[in-house]
Amino acid sequence: MTTSSSILSTTENLPRVLIVKRPAAMAVLGDRFVASTKFEILKAFESPLPLPAFLANHSHSVSAVIAPVAAPVTADLIRLLPNLRLVVTTSAGVDHVDLVECRRRGISVANAGSSFSEDVADTAVGLLIDVFRRISAANRFVKQRFWPLKGDYPLGSKLGRKRIGIVGLGSIGSKVATRLEPFGCQISYSSRNQKPYDVPYHYYMDIEEMAANSDALIICCELNEKTMHLINKDVLSALGKQGVIVNVARGAIIDEVEMVRCLREGEIGGAGLDVFEDEPNVPKELFELDNVVFSPHCAFMSLEGLEELGKLLVANIEAFFSNKPLLTPVL
Amino acid sequence: MTTSSSILSTTENLPRVLIVKRPAAMAVLGDRFVASTKFEILKAFESPLPLPAFLANHSHSVSAVIAPVAAPVTADLIRLLPNLRLVVTTSAGVDHVDLVECRRRGISVANAGSSFSEDVADTAVGLLIDVFRRISAANRFVKQRFWPLKGDYPLGSKLGRKRIGIVGLGSIGSKVATRLEPFGCQISYSSRNQKPYDVPYHYYMDIEEMAANSDALIICCELNEKTMHLINKDVLSALGKQGVIVNVARGAIIDEVEMVRCLREGEIGGAGLDVFEDEPNVPKELFELDNVVFSPHCAFMSLEGLEELGKLLVANIEAFFSNKPLLTPVL
């Protein structure tokens, strides 16, 4: 029996679940985030050893990995874990997991399902209102004691009748759409395929055409080789000088260099950004712009949401080791 | 014929409409805000003279006043204008107009009707999301380059299942309610009277009881002698440590001194404030708090909304002087 402080429970013979970097939820909720009597957690991030040295002692005992976005499950990591059978991500997106290698090795993969969808959709709407109605900027204006020294605060724009193009009408995108309907927004969407006829929103096969007919784009799709830099120079140019972009998906879906240029040169109207191409590095050259709102990849994070996530992670891992189907399988 | 530059049009015999202080909309839209061929605008705020001196030359010619909130129509002002027949406010609220004196003198009063309701409701929802999901605070966190130096950003709270108490289910309050429904919020309301049975929200006759059963209060009622300091120490105390307050109505509906104390001492959970008791003075002792979002009484302001307001003002004034009914009469 090991006495390592990096192991939550020391009951023998339980499956061991490796966590390389501390998930945000664990920083908040502590060990109760994924507490279970049916598996042991192995916290590499609590060890002073570099990961390969740490794994040298544990590699054969690890049968599952909990993988936050900040700790990619690469082919290299997988190679270090000969008995790995399950990867469970703390995110809906699985672009930080080498799915090809997992498939080749017969490793199952589960994600966070739609447990974040409501929170992410809420934040997307919050960012959209913030940019259109300039809420963060107004807050700054008051706190800088410009009211009324600088006269009245510059005007925001009305949400009603705004044409909102949702990129990816999945679990998050469809929740964004239903939230924006009562604001009087006109919703359209683009996605791999047109949704069934009971989806009441206009479908665009071509994203550039949607951008040209939208006052704002809200990015809700997953990142994959087809959506990488999907929002490129042409799409941004079609969106135009008044157009707003909100990204709650993944930074790399937008060509960030191009977006930064467009924002700085006034070629698009504003942005609400929760995600970035090279997190946690953000384009600081936008900090001075009043029409850009940043958040640190926390759209998915709420206390209630993280608690639900923990329950889902535990349920997936327990199901797997009980030979039951995963609740939110990817592979 | 006068040649004063304070008069927009110099056509004789047209009714004259006095504006004492420049409305925010006029600062943005210029003279086209209330342009009409059927009346003349008299801009006291462009004259270097004090108002009584300015009016000494014009008082008998003024038959209507356009009254922004910042320029109260007091009994004193009314006394200076012997031929005043109409007051048109640029706001939905008319608490800055001495209605008793207007009624006594037979002066008609029109307000801005519900032309701001959508914008105000949108901002109320934006402020609520901002406080619960900490959007302005997250923005500040990123811009202060705390990501990831300070680790992950502190958690917000999920909107779903939050119990939202709307104070005043009028034009604005009901729009706030329909907007919050798809977020999964549980809506209740208080108002002078219970609404007809087809309003699907729980009614509280007692606001303290509603506060005790709410995660947030959104103030949407008008200010009058009954709502002055309606949100007092007892209501705030009932709302409790996690409770959030959003005010898009009038500052004086909340006992601001008491609210500031509650926020500073953690007795309520946060606030989104567009209005204040002594505008433009705001309680600066709250500036350091991450859970308070300010905006400078601009919830009603959008470019589109101000253009609609201008059309409504002109339509009310033209109707009045054509002996037609006011579109949005108060008196």
Side-chain angles (χ1 to χ4, degrees), chain A residues 14-326:
Chain A
L14 290 182
R16 278 205 178 154
V17 180
L18 173 70
I19 310 184
V20 172
K21 283 195 183 170
R22 191 197 306 269
M26 208 156 184
V28 175
L29 300 175
D31 289 344
R32 76 181 169 95
F33 171 52
V34 284
S36 166
T37 57
K38 297 188 179 155
F39 56 82
E40 271 179 10
I41 294 288
L42 191 63
K43 295 190 273 184
F45 57 84
E46 286 192 346
S47 165
L49 297 174
L51 185 64
F54 175 82
L55 288 180
N57 294 328
H58 296 293
S59 63
H60 284 268
S61 72
V62 170
S63 46
V65 166
I66 291 176
V69 172
V73 181
T74 60
D76 283 347
L77 177 66
I78 293 171
R79 206 169 299 124
L80 292 172
L81 303 168
N83 296 314
L84 181 64
R85 294 165 57 206
L86 173 67
V87 172
V88 185
T89 64
T90 61
S91 54
V94 292
D95 50 282
H96 61 299
V97 177
D98 188 331
L99 293 178
V100 173
E101 186 64 11
C102 286
R103 184 175 286 119
R104 200 183 67 75
R105 283 268 313 271
I107 296 167
S108 297
V109 178
N111 70 355
S114 59
S115 58
F116 294 128
S117 303
E118 291 185 349
D119 280 327
V120 175
D122 292 352
T123 302
V125 174
L127 288 171
L128 186 76
I129 301 177
D130 194 312
V131 176
F132 272 135
R133 304 310 308 274
R134 302 191 174 207
I135 289 180
S136 291
N139 189 28
R140 217 155 39 234
F141 179 87
V142 173
K143 289 191 177 184
Q144 288 169 335
R145 309 184 186 208
F146 286 162
W147 187 36
L149 297 180
K150 275 204 173 182
D152 285 295
Y153 178 72
L155 272 187
S157 188
K158 194 184 186 80
L159 263 85
R161 295 187 289 282
K162 284 282 182 300
R163 301 162 303 161
I164 310 293
I166 297 180
V167 181
L169 198 72
S171 173
I172 293 168
S174 55
K175 288 183 175 67
V176 170
T178 53
R179 279 157 175 69
L180 286 177
E181 278 188 59
F183 288 85
C185 295
Q186 296 165 19
I187 314 286
S188 57
Y189 74 103
S190 70
S191 66
R192 276 165 301 190
N193 304 302
Q194 188 165 3
K195 303 290 172 189
Y197 64 91
D198 60 344
V199 168
Y201 315 122
H202 184 76
Y203 172 66
Y204 284 98
M205 195 176 298
D206 180 52
I207 191 158
E208 199 177 319
E209 191 189 341
M210 183 166 81
N213 290 287
S214 294
D215 299 303
L217 295 181
I218 303 185
I219 316 300
C220 303
C221 61
E222 68 176 52
L223 175 64
N224 56 40
E225 63 274 15
K226 285 186 181 162
T227 62
M228 173 88 182
H229 284 200
L230 176 68
I231 310 299
N232 58 20
K233 183 179 177 176
D234 293 337
V235 174
L236 292 166
S237 171
L239 183 58
K241 288 187 192 305
Q242 303 298 321
V244 167
I245 199 150
V246 169
N247 193 359
V248 290
R250 285 288 181 275
I253 297 167
I254 304 178
D255 180 341
E256 191 167 287
V257 169
E258 196 54 43
M259 178 184 68
V260 167
R261 189 191 63 72
C262 286
L263 283 164
R264 293 188 70 180
E265 298 178 5
E267 293 191 13
I268 65 173
L273 305 169
D274 185 55
V275 290
F276 307 89
E277 276 211 71
D278 180 31
E279 294 173 13
N281 292 311
V282 297
K284 298 184 181 60
E285 55 270 50
L286 300 180
F287 281 7
E288 73 214 54
L289 298 184
D290 242 13
N291 54 340
V292 182
V293 183
F294 297 89
S295 80
H297 201 152
C298 66
F300 67 99
M301 291 211 333
S302 73
L303 184 60
E304 301 86 339
L306 295 186
E307 285 170 345
E308 286 166 24
L309 170 68
K311 286 180 194 157
L312 178 67
L313 285 175
V314 168
N316 266 311
I317 297 169
E318 290 185 354
F320 184 81
F321 290 119
S322 310
N323 295 314
K324 291 179 187 156
L326 292 170

Side-chain angles (χ1 to χ4, degrees), chain A residues 133 158 161 301 304, chain B residues 133 139 158 301 304 308:
Chain A
R133 304 310 308 274
K158 194 184 186 80
R161 295 187 289 282
M301 291 211 333
E304 301 86 339
Chain B
R133 306 309 309 273
N139 188 30
K158 193 184 186 78
M301 292 212 330
E304 300 87 340
E308 286 167 24

Side-chain angles (χ1 to χ4, degrees), chain B residues 6-214:
Chain B
S6 299
I7 297 185
L8 274 186
S9 151
T10 54
T11 316
E12 277 187 280
N13 299 324
L14 289 182
R16 280 206 178 153
V17 180
L18 172 70
I19 310 183
V20 172
K21 283 196 183 170
R22 190 197 305 271
M26 208 157 187
V28 175
L29 299 175
D31 288 345
R32 76 181 170 96
F33 171 51
V34 283
S36 166
T37 56
K38 300 190 177 152
F39 56 81
E40 272 180 6
I41 294 288
L42 190 64
K43 296 190 273 184
F45 56 85
E46 286 191 348
S47 165
L49 296 174
L51 184 64
F54 176 81
L55 287 180
N57 293 328
H58 297 293
S59 62
H60 284 267
S61 71
V62 169
S63 47
V65 166
I66 292 177
V69 173
V73 180
T74 59
D76 283 346
L77 177 66
I78 293 171
R79 208 169 298 124
L80 292 173
L81 303 169
N83 295 315
L84 181 64
R85 293 166 56 207
L86 173 67
V87 172
V88 185
T89 64
T90 61
S91 54
V94 292
D95 51 280
H96 61 300
V97 177
D98 188 331
L99 294 180
V100 173
E101 186 64 12
C102 285
R103 184 175 287 119
R104 200 183 67 75
R105 282 269 314 270
I107 296 167
S108 297
V109 178
N111 70 355
S114 60
S115 59
F116 295 128
S117 303
E118 292 186 348
D119 280 327
V120 175
D122 293 352
T123 302
V125 174
L127 288 171
L128 186 77
I129 301 178
D130 194 312
V131 176
F132 272 134
R133 306 309 309 273
R134 300 188 176 210
I135 289 179
S136 290
N139 188 30
R140 216 154 41 233
F141 180 87
V142 173
K143 289 191 177 184
Q144 288 170 335
R145 310 185 186 209
F146 286 161
W147 188 35
L149 297 179
K150 275 204 173 183
D152 286 294
Y153 178 73
L155 272 187
S157 188
K158 193 184 186 78
L159 263 85
R161 294 188 289 282
K162 284 285 181 297
R163 301 162 303 162
I164 310 293
I166 296 180
V167 181
L169 198 72
S171 173
I172 293 168
S174 55
K175 288 183 175 66
V176 170
T178 53
R179 279 156 175 71
L180 286 176
E181 278 190 59
F183 288 86
C185 295
Q186 296 166 19
I187 314 286
S188 57
Y189 73 102
S190 70
S191 66
R192 275 165 300 189
N193 303 303
Q194 186 164 4
K195 303 289 171 188
Y197 64 89
D198 60 344
V199 168
Y201 316 123
H202 183 77
Y203 172 67
Y204 285 97
M205 193 177 300
D206 180 53
I207 192 158
E208 198 177 319
E209 191 190 341
M210 183 166 82
N213 290 287
S214 294

